[in-house]
Amino acid sequence: MHTDPLSAQFAALADPTRRAILARLSEGETSVNDLAAPFAMSLPAISRHLKVLESAGLVSRSRTAQWRPAKLEPLAMKGVADWIDQYRHFWESSFDRLDAYLKSIQSGSDDGSRH
Amino acid sequence: MHTDPLSAQFAALADPTRRAILARLSEGETSVNDLAAPFAMSLPAISRHLKVLESAGLVSRSRTAQWRPAKLEPLAMKGVADWIDQYRHFWESSFDRLDAYLKSIQSGSDDGSRH
DNA sequence: AGCATATTTAACATCCATGTTAAATACAAG
DNA sequence: CTTGTATTTAACATGGATGTTAAATATGCT
């Protein structure tokens, strides 16, 4: 099971329906019914997708009467972005610079067989 | 089933073992045996994790004699980063500005500024 | 050829994810 | 308090993900 937040967040993002929900929520808080409308999928299915997003911290819920609108929680997404930024220089450097970087690390100290 | 690249990439990243493998590969190309060493996991399991990373495009393989070293493929990770960057302004803005942004989108042309 | 090393595939077990439909719950209003 | 609307939970089916061990494959060496 996924106990670490990053795994939960990546897993939550690994589904097109959930990513579409997030895109929709980036335009504002929305009820489950409205969120479900564009999808050829039952309401309980959307409800469960929201639960996954909520467990990952990517979304929060509130209550107004019988509605439980979902709202984007961008800080969780920032956690994901921060992890990926570790690798940013790998694609932002020119290939020559990347190559040089890799070589400088490899020839630094050890044979690379352990942590 | 995950047919779209983004889903495959996120799914591949949703596992701590695979993220650890990527971290290791960020220090340079490495054989399967060396990659497996730090983990309390059988060699076939690591081999399958590599296959997942490779299918997602995050890693490529080559051959030297009986070794099939894995190498980081940062461009796939860039695809993921680009998707997330859609949401960057949600956490990089101040809360006031974020609030204003959300309101401006929801109410169309209303200026949405308050406080 | 025959053996050693590195890696993958096969066969299997188990658990998790995702979807469905039907019933249950939460709240508002008549 | 009964009804209507919104949402969740229950019960179930199914497929996919992840791990294991044993066998197969690929390559190099002597």
Side-chain angles (χ1 to χ4, degrees):
Chain A
M1 202 182 285
H2 299 123
T3 52
D4 64 294
L6 214 40
S7 294
Q9 287 154 2
F10 275 124
L13 295 175
D15 182 289
T17 301
R18 287 195 290 264
R19 290 197 306 277
I21 288 175
L22 291 174
R24 180 74 179 68
L25 291 179
S26 75
E27 299 170 9
E29 219 170 338
T30 313
S31 75
V32 180
N33 252 303
D34 282 357
L35 283 171
F39 300 104
M41 197 178 293
S42 70
L43 214 54
I46 300 295
S47 183
R48 290 191 63 178
H49 277 305
L50 279 171
K51 197 170 187 177
V52 172
L53 289 168
E54 191 183 6
S55 300
L58 290 158
V59 145
S60 64
R61 315 288 304 272
S62 56
R63 177 183 288 286
T64 305
Q66 67 259 223
W67 291 273
R68 313 213 45 190
K71 174 173 159 289
L72 206 64
E73 281 298 334
L75 287 188
M77 199 108 66
K78 172 168 166 32
V80 176
D82 286 348
W83 183 87
I84 292 183
D85 277 351
Q86 281 188 303
Y87 294 89
R88 185 169 289 276
H89 64 276
F90 281 101
W91 70 80
E92 279 192 347
S93 308
S94 76
F95 281 101
D96 284 348
R97 286 192 50 188
L98 173 59
D99 191 57
Y101 173 83
L102 288 174
K103 289 208 171 2
S104 77
I105 278 187
Q106 265 188 311
S107 60
S109 49
D110 66 342
D111 69 355
S113 62
R114 287 270 166 196
H115 259 12
Chain B
M1 207 179 299
H2 297 125
T3 50
D4 63 297
L6 215 40
S7 294
Q9 287 154 2
F10 276 124
L13 295 174
D15 182 289
T17 301
R18 286 195 289 264
R19 290 198 305 277
I21 287 175
L22 290 175
R24 179 73 179 71
L25 290 180
S26 75
E27 298 169 9
E29 219 169 338
T30 313
S31 76
V32 179
N33 253 302
D34 282 357
L35 283 172
F39 300 103
M41 199 179 293
S42 70
L43 214 56
I46 300 294
S47 183
R48 290 191 63 178
H49 277 305
L50 280 171
K51 197 170 187 177
V52 173
L53 290 167
E54 191 183 7
S55 300
L58 290 158
V59 145
S60 64
R61 315 288 305 271
S62 56
R63 178 183 287 286
T64 306
Q66 66 259 225
W67 291 273
R68 313 215 43 191
K71 175 174 160 287
L72 206 64
E73 280 299 334
L75 286 188
M77 199 107 68
K78 172 167 166 32
V80 176
D82 286 349
W83 183 88
I84 292 183
D85 277 351
Q86 279 188 302
Y87 294 89
R88 183 169 290 274
H89 64 277
F90 280 101
W91 70 79
E92 279 192 346
S93 310
S94 76
F95 280 101
D96 283 348
R97 285 194 49 188
L98 172 59
D99 190 58
Y101 173 82
L102 288 173
K103 289 215 170 0
S104 76
I105 278 189
Q106 266 189 307
S107 60
S109 60
D110 197 318
D111 94 299
S113 63
R114 47 169 196 56
H115 287 170

